[in-house]
Amino acid sequence: MALNFRRAAPADLPAIIALLADDKLGQGREDAADPPNPAYLAAFAAIAADANQYLAVVEEEGRVIGCLQLSFIPGLSRLGMWRGQIESVRIAADRRGDGLGRQMFVWAIDQCRAHGCGLVQLTTDKQRPEARRFYESLGFVASHEGLKLAL
């Protein structure tokens, strides 16, 4: 089946939210109600309005089967190098383990290169060791410690 990688449209929001909610961690922090929570609508609008954000969906035969968010981050360090940040990667439960994740990352890394990024980074929750193994299999290296402060 042919995969279609594209920028998310407002009509994709319920499918994206469902993907985000479809795992142990997401079940406790996402709201898959229909219609979508207004907070999601505001976030989607902010992402869509920012040229350095790309909320992507992967579709197959008209069905959204994956999503991720790319952020293109300008910086002064490393001679003004841009970084690509990959977040919110999700794959439909019935498609996990069939290579779709690898295809999504190849696509995302290509997008970062095309945007002039010299580095691609991501974070992964420590409660997802299988995700970390997957990212390492793609060549990502745990070279830094990431810290978060909930506000």
Side-chain angles (χ1 to χ4, degrees), residues 27-150:
Q27 289 171 2
R29 63 184 181 202
E30 304 300 341
D31 176 6
D34 190 24
N37 184 309
Y40 290 118
L41 300 174
F44 186 90
I47 292 166
D50 185 338
N52 288 323
Q53 300 297 318
Y54 191 119
L55 182 58
V57 293
V58 183
E59 156 184 86
E60 183 178 59
E61 296 185 344
R63 175 182 167 223
V64 172
I65 58 172
C67 64
L68 60 80
Q69 182 175 346
L70 294 174
S71 297
F72 303 113
I73 307 166
L76 288 176
S77 67
R78 299 184 184 210
L79 299 173
M81 183 180 69
W82 281 71
R83 296 167 189 256
Q85 176 88 17
I86 302 174
E87 290 292 333
S88 299
V89 179
R90 297 292 189 282
I91 297 171
D94 64 334
R95 294 303 305 271
R96 293 177 192 150
D98 71 0
L100 177 59
R102 190 166 297 278
Q103 289 177 284
M104 288 172 62
F105 267 83
V106 167
W107 178 87
I109 292 166
D110 285 346
Q111 296 302 305
C112 292
R113 276 193 193 99
H115 200 84
C117 296
L119 182 97
V120 179
Q121 60 191 27
L122 56 80
T123 62
T124 188
D125 196 293
K126 289 186 177 190
Q127 296 178 63
R128 290 187 170 120
E130 69 287 348
R132 180 173 173 161
R133 284 190 297 275
F134 170 68
Y135 299 140
E136 289 172 341
S137 80
L138 294 169
F140 286 87
V141 176
S143 61
H144 293 69
E145 284 291 326
L147 305 171
K148 297 193 182 221
L149 174 65

